[in-house]
Amino acid sequence: MSYVITLLRMSVGSAFVRPLAASSAVVLMLANNLLFFITFVIYFGNFSSLRGWVREDLALLVGCTCWAFGLAVFLTGGIRDLANMIASGGLDGYLGRPRHPLPALLLSQSIPAGLGDMVSGVLFWTVFAHRHLAELPLLLLVGTLGAIVVGASATLFQCLAFWLSGAAVLAEELFEMFMMVAYYPENPFSFAVRLLLLTVFPAGFVAMLPAEAVRDADPRKLVACAAAALVYAGLAWLVFERGLRRYTSGSRIIELR
Amino acid sequence: MPSRSDWGALRAFAILGWRRAAAEGLATLMRGGLNVLALGIFWGFWQATPLDELGRRDLTPQRLIWYLAMTEWIVFTTGVPYREIEEDVRSGAIAIGLSRPLGYAQACLARWGGGVAFRLPVFAVIGFGAALALSRTVPLAPTMLLTGLISALLALTLVHLCHLMIGLGATWTGSATPVHWIWQKGLFVLGGLIIPLHLYPAPLRDIAELSPFAAMLSAPASLALDPSPRHAATVLTLQSVWLAVLAACAWLMDRAATSSLIERGI
């Protein structure tokens, strides 16, 4: 645990080496999310509901997505760079360490704009979704479970680089697709689509199910979110392990020496 | 006026852009998938929307999905070209671009034009194919297809001029990404990416219609909602005015960025 905390302290510290650039990224990401939400404000200005969902429910959902994505990239920004590291032989330096390489890889960088997303998440929940402050611990819990699913899914996409050449672009596109789906309400969709979003492409666990767990005060949905976080994190770990067996050194250790 | 050798260089850069776009086969396919997914999401979205609350017969899920297919066509064809300039500034490669006889901005626009020439028909087939499969209608009369294409090309020129300016902004700020986020959300909201501008509340609609963003997305896409020749003429006039304004801004910004790089260095 102290190893993880040390890695975290170092990556977050390095993200704020240029405080002005980092702070402006935080503020601009916050503005970016607020601008995005205007589309839903306009939508609900014209229409009463979307299959029973109103503006406050959408704010709850967008807040969950913002918190999950923000927390994932702020703490484990290395998830966006894993495929490049695998393809370029950058894993060599991590494989030489006495600890498992995955935590160090994920915690290798922190993206400060993620903090802007996290602030947006809290703002969406408390101001636009009119959620009471007493609900904040529950919201932070479901949002954090969503963040684990974001991190695990990104790791799974990036691990494609173990099997496919030029997978970095593919992984990035898959991740963008994943996040795009998470930003929109899935309640208008059929059972088959919802099933897809809760299994092979688990964007439903990032915001849809967490938002429904809070909205419907349903403990079963909360348990499902926690179980999904565990299952996908375990799956990401397993796939990374399998991938490592295929990994061929890029001889970067010579550069290190 | 570019000289004959300049035209040759512009052509070479356009071919380079085409070849690079053609080499991104998997990424293009993935973006195509993303485009189809977005259309699928909003097909479900508009079908679940109580459109009858508006009391308008012209706004159907079929027309709205074609509106979105048009806006998405422009967004997906463009990609994020400003990153090339940002990377050139960051790596110092812009110095090589500045030493060429052809202007750096002209070379960028020619290269991007080549990429657009490749992606435009690809995303038209993917996006419009998906819209057709979902809605089983084509809202644009065959005689208006040419107008739609001209309007889309004007919109793409406007969007690329903005990307050029955003990228050149990295000369002063180092990173153009935060500016791009804001510009992109401005494009999505004021350009009417998802919701047509005439559904916006009065003050915001007026602001959006007066902004250049409307000429980039909403103007060509509105042809799917109102394919009348009168509306088409208004759209093309609006886009031509913004083309003149943004081209002048891009020219001034290019001069300022070039002077700054020559005097101050990278």
Side-chain angles (χ1 to χ4, degrees):
Chain A
M1 197 63 189
S2 64
Y3 173 63
V4 170
I5 290 168
T6 307
L7 287 173
L8 258 178
R9 210 173 45 224
M10 284 171 70
S11 68
V12 172
S14 66
F16 284 89
V17 162
R18 294 170 69 194
L20 193 66
S23 309
S24 63
V26 171
V27 173
L28 286 170
M29 183 52 88
L30 179 65
N32 175 56
N33 290 330
L34 291 174
L35 275 170
F36 172 78
F37 193 66
I38 290 177
T39 303
F40 288 119
V41 174
I42 295 164
Y43 179 89
F44 286 107
N46 283 288
F47 309 107
S48 57
S49 74
L50 178 67
R51 286 235 172 111
W53 276 49
V54 292
R55 197 180 72 186
E56 285 73 15
D57 298 319
L58 254 298
L60 176 65
L61 180 123
V62 173
C64 287
T65 310
C66 286
W67 178 270
F69 178 74
L71 185 65
V73 299
F74 183 64
L75 297 185
T76 59
I79 51 173
R80 304 295 293 269
D81 209 28
L82 202 53
N84 277 327
M85 296 285 271
I86 295 163
S88 66
L91 288 192
D92 291 9
Y94 292 87
L95 292 173
R97 296 180 187 178
R99 309 276 183 142
H100 194 281
L102 191 57
L105 278 163
L106 299 185
L107 299 167
S108 60
Q109 57 171 306
S110 163
I111 299 172
L115 200 59
D117 275 318
M118 291 163 72
V119 175
S120 315
V122 176
L123 203 68
F124 279 120
W125 290 330
T126 54
V127 178
F128 299 109
H130 304 306
R131 288 284 153 184
H132 201 270
L133 279 177
E135 287 179 293
L136 205 55
L138 175 65
L139 287 163
L140 292 175
L141 174 67
V142 293
T144 305
L145 293 172
I148 295 171
V149 177
V150 170
S153 303
T155 306
L156 285 166
F157 299 147
Q158 300 271 331
C159 279
L160 285 171
F162 283 121
W163 288 274
L164 293 172
S165 62
V169 177
L170 176 68
E172 193 59 27
E173 298 278 348
L174 277 170
F175 188 66
E176 277 183 22
M177 202 184 282
F178 180 81
M179 289 315 299
M180 192 189 82
V181 174
Y183 261 110
Y184 292 104
E186 284 123 32
N187 59 319
F189 301 138
S190 62
F191 173 75
V193 176
R194 282 170 68 97
L195 191 67
L196 187 79
L197 296 175
L198 293 172
T199 49
V200 288
F201 202 64
F205 289 112
V206 175
M208 183 188 76
L209 209 63
E212 284 184 357
V214 176
R215 183 177 177 263
D216 307 338
D218 189 342
R220 286 173 307 173
K221 286 179 178 169
L222 181 63
V223 171
C225 290
L230 266 175
V231 167
Y232 286 100
L235 195 63
W237 190 280
L238 273 176
V239 170
F240 182 80
E241 281 285 332
R242 290 294 293 264
L244 270 186
R245 289 184 207 165
R246 289 181 54 89
Y247 177 70
T248 313
S249 169
S251 296
R252 292 284 287 271
I253 203 78
I254 296 166
E255 284 178 38
L256 288 171
R257 287 180 70 187
Chain B
M1 191 71 186
S3 66
R4 199 174 159 183
S5 62
D6 283 350
W7 281 115
L10 287 170
R11 189 171 159 270
F13 274 109
I15 292 169
L16 177 69
W18 169 283
R19 286 187 181 153
R20 277 191 189 169
E24 292 174 350
L26 192 61
T28 306
L29 208 65
M30 287 308 300
R31 276 187 214 117
L34 198 62
N35 190 1
V36 172
L37 185 74
L39 290 170
I41 287 175
F42 281 96
W43 177 243
F45 199 84
W46 286 125
Q47 281 192 311
T49 297
L51 287 168
D52 51 323
E53 287 181 9
L54 289 173
R56 292 178 56 154
R57 284 189 178 176
D58 58 328
L59 281 182
T60 59
Q62 287 79 9
R63 279 190 179 274
L64 286 165
I65 205 68
W66 274 96
Y67 173 90
L68 184 69
M70 280 290 279
T71 57
E72 294 275 13
W73 185 35
I74 290 158
V75 170
F76 279 95
T77 299
T78 305
V80 277
Y82 84 90
R83 280 188 191 162
E84 292 175 21
I85 301 179
E86 187 186 48
E87 188 49 39
D88 281 353
V89 171
R90 197 175 287 162
S91 66
I94 196 166
I96 300 163
L98 290 173
S99 65
R100 290 193 187 112
L102 185 72
Y104 177 77
Q106 289 168 289
C108 282
L109 287 173
R111 204 172 57 237
W112 294 348
V116 165
F118 177 82
R119 289 189 297 269
L120 195 73
V122 171
F123 285 113
V125 170
I126 296 172
F128 297 155
L132 183 65
L134 291 166
S135 69
R136 301 191 184 280
T137 57
V138 181
L140 216 59
T143 49
M144 292 296 288
L145 286 177
L146 184 65
T147 315
L149 182 64
I150 293 168
S151 180
L153 288 173
L154 281 169
L156 282 162
T157 311
L158 294 174
V159 172
H160 280 84
L161 284 172
C162 288
H163 272 274
L164 181 72
M165 287 189 274
I166 293 167
L168 289 173
T171 309
W172 295 282
T173 57
S175 170
T177 304
V179 177
H180 177 253
W181 291 339
I182 299 297
W183 176 85
Q184 189 192 45
K185 291 302 174 293
L187 181 69
F188 289 0
V189 175
L190 298 176
L193 174 76
I194 297 163
I195 301 173
L197 293 186
H198 59 263
L199 293 184
Y200 283 31
L204 188 62
R205 184 179 59 224
D206 297 339
I207 293 167
E209 282 174 348
L210 285 172
S211 76
F213 298 117
M216 295 175 204
L217 287 185
S218 169
S222 65
L223 293 171
L225 302 174
D226 180 2
S228 69
R230 188 189 162 91
H231 179 64
T234 312
V235 162
L236 295 179
T237 309
L238 174 80
Q239 289 183 303
S240 304
V241 170
W242 277 115
L243 181 63
V245 173
L246 289 183
C249 292
W251 182 73
L252 287 171
M253 189 139 175
D254 176 41
R255 277 180 57 131
T258 307
S259 309
S260 167
L261 285 167
I262 290 169
E263 286 165 19
R264 195 173 48 90
I266 297 160

